[in-house]
Amino acid sequence: MKELPEGSSESQLQLYSRIESITEAVRELEDRYRASGRITAVRQMPAREGEFAEIPRTLHDGLREALLRSGIDQLYVHQAMAAEAAQAGKNVVVVTPTASGKTLCYNLPVIDKILRKPSARAFYLFPTKALAQDQLAEMKRLSNYLPTPLKTYTYDGDTPSDARKAIRSESHIAFTNPDMLHAGILPCHTKWARFLENLEFVVIDELHTYRGVFGSHLCNVLRRLKRICAFYGSSPRFLCSSATIGNPRELAMAITESDVELIDRNGSPAAEKYFVFYNPPVVDRELGIRRSYLQEARSLAARLIKNGFQTIIFAGSRLHTEVLLSYLKQDLEKSVLDADSVRGYRGGYLPKRRREIEEGLRSGEIRGVVSTNALELGIDVGHLDVSIMAGYPGTISSTWQQAGRSGRRNAPSLAVLVASSSPLDQFIVNHPSYFFSQNPEMGLINPDNLSIFLDHLKCAAFELPIGAHERFGKRDLKEILAMLVDRGFLHLSQEKYFWVQEAYPADAVSLRSISSDNFVVVDQTGKPEIIAEVDFGAALTTLHEKAIYLLESQRYIVEKMDYDQRKAYVKKTEVDYFTDAISYRDVKVLEEFHGDDMHGGRSSHGEVHVARQVVGFKKIKFNTMENVGYGNQQLPQNDLQTTSYWLRINEKLIDSIEGSPDERVLAVWGLAFLLHHLAPLYLMCDVRDLQEAVCDDRTKVPLQQPGPRREPPPRNFEPVVFIYDNYPGGIGLSEPLHRLSARLLAEAQEVLNQCQCASGCPSCIGPNINPGRSLKRMVEEILRGLVDAKP
């Protein structure tokens, strides 16, 4: 280690050592893997000096004194600008990186207003309960220095019933989430009358998470809130904060339907950061098979944790989170570190377990955590050294968010993206200049989506009668209200529409998923106890009977799934495999909005009905990832009405492709896989916002992939590839995908040309289950037939 400059303090010694260690870690990665091509990019981001401003003199003296007593004698420039804009009566959105002090941007004007007007009230909206709890603790720390501490509480599904009345009547600030505002506050607005008539601010934290269906719902919830506030004589302002996205002001204006001032001049300092792109090595060049990205992430994380770096590993799903955690615990059992020094973190863990993990990270007792994107948001988990992403997170914005979870103001850090074999991951890791030069994605919403809009119009009518000439959103209400009268939901009397159903409409509307019902997991190994909660969509694929349910690397077998009661009963087991559900998808076209004929088919977009059902599962062996068996299932079918882009391939073109009917079906599925994974490059969305399916246009039945109870394909068929919006009603992705169809197909051809595999691989058309068949050649022929005049 280099000598320290004379007069260096102990804290400087620790900092200098840390910088040297991170640098050595990056150097070791380069020395080991650069020559072999595993390292495709190393970016060094230099430290950034802070830009400061005086604490505005317009703030209340008590608040200025509290800041000084808490150790804050100056603000970052964006904090001062946000406070001044809010004091001037403006709606504000602040956009700065992770750990840049955005919390003070909205806390300062809110506290200032309450100190000047004690009757003033504010709602703080956070996308998760955990983040609300974290920010409440931050507010209480500052509040303790005020002349009179503020009354601040969380109000969510975990709030005890006997505490709710006191919170409604006494709290200055209610920390809640959009779901609770939607289903637990607005329908009961008469109980909140005093709070609502004095509502001055609505804070929306992590604005970038409110895109797509969630953001569309939130916009409608805020429409209902503003309508009720107008009834009580208040008109709150909106203070928003966001990570870096492509259109923060436009998204804030779309969600709040108000003019908003953008503040994006980041004044926070940042330490040096390294960003490494890592591509797992090819282990079979003929088949294009790469080493498992989960195994590579495991290897990198284990080495860094053992060398003293506190590390967070992001996995793309709950299943992969648990699999990676199992691997790391195995590795640490062979070292001096305790296996419990690495923990998991994801949705489904009970609140007590999550709080325990967060505290362990802050204290340093936990040296590593494997998480879904649940820790991507601004929950305080201390000063982490390394962030490893096992697979591309799906968007540029999310990637920077996850990379930003390591490193704070004065400590250097490392972020590593380990690419999976998917076409999107391979494009990103092999084109690093694309990633580092592109602006983050735009947040898009469609609040007037008829399905979403209608749900909230019903909720609005339940809360207050709707006037015959009242405006709600941008739709013409006349026909919609008449339809609701005809169906017995509303009654028209004296120019007002009244809700007449006994049902409580908000209770049937989930802001995030198709169903609002969660499953609870009951461990029956000993005394029965609830160990987890799983949302409806995930439950169907993870809690079916005979599934292996993973919780912090402990394996449980599901003995019974009580679908009606929303319960799964499990017992501990010691099996050496995990399970992966196999789903059946049948898509029917309801209406074609627009279509264009092509040389070998037709590109269209429109409305579709999707029937989804879990029909079986695969058993995947830990470590080797071998498929060691199948199992059958027959869960109830779930229906989805949404919008889709589809590509019909002429029967003549399919017949011209050399191969059996079975091989042709697999080739069409390979094309669907490729198009699905390339689409996000053009739509600036997450790959999980879309889903793929293949059906026969002649028989109107699905063309199935290999699996249990698979029906053999017909001898002659006309396949249709569907890439549909994976949300009820659609979120506006199908129309631009149809418009960009020619570019998408051309890019697919380019990917196949550049892929070095012989017959198809996970980096182009997905895993080739029969290496002897050249499905890649067949997909190339299909694409030529679609794009070229002479297939």
Side-chain angles (χ1 to χ4, degrees), residues 180-290:
M180 194 65 180
L181 181 63
H182 153 68
I185 296 176
L186 297 183
C188 312
H189 62 83
T190 53
K191 296 180 180 179
W192 289 81
R194 182 183 170 199
F195 194 102
L196 290 166
E197 68 187 9
N198 290 290
L199 187 64
E200 295 280 348
F201 290 106
V202 176
V203 169
I204 306 174
D205 195 25
E206 306 287 358
L207 181 79
H208 59 282
T209 63
Y210 299 105
R211 60 182 181 80
V213 67
F214 195 17
S216 302
H217 275 296
L218 177 61
C219 176
N220 280 286
V221 171
L222 295 181
R223 286 170 175 172
R224 289 159 51 199
L225 173 64
K226 287 189 285 186
R227 182 170 178 263
I228 290 171
C229 285
F231 176 78
Y232 287 108
S234 63
S235 179
R237 282 174 285 142
F238 296 93
L239 306 178
C240 310
S241 74
S242 173
T244 304
I245 55 174
N247 62 335
R249 181 169 182 262
E250 291 78 3
L251 180 61
M253 290 175 65
I255 287 176
T256 65
E257 296 184 317
S258 306
D259 190 34
V260 177
E261 177 161 319
L262 171 66
I263 293 172
D264 58 359
R265 182 177 163 187
N266 177 29
S268 65
E272 182 181 36
K273 190 179 197 74
Y274 292 89
F275 206 138
V276 175
F277 277 19
Y278 180 95
N279 203 10
V282 174
V283 294
D284 189 322
R285 192 161 295 280
E286 180 76 9
L287 300 179
I289 303 298
R290 294 183 179 274

Side-chain angles (χ1 to χ4, degrees), residues 324-359:
L324 259 176
L325 181 61
S326 297
Y327 290 162
L328 284 171
K329 283 184 176 287
Q330 290 174 22
D331 294 339
L332 293 184
E333 283 171 357
K334 304 168 188 173
S335 72
V336 295
L337 287 172
D338 188 335
D340 286 337
S341 63
V342 175
R343 302 288 297 272
Y345 192 102
R346 61 171 175 79
Y349 286 10
L350 297 178
K352 182 180 177 182
R353 187 187 293 263
R354 291 199 300 268
R355 299 296 89 75
E356 174 190 311
I357 295 166
E358 292 161 15
E359 179 54 39

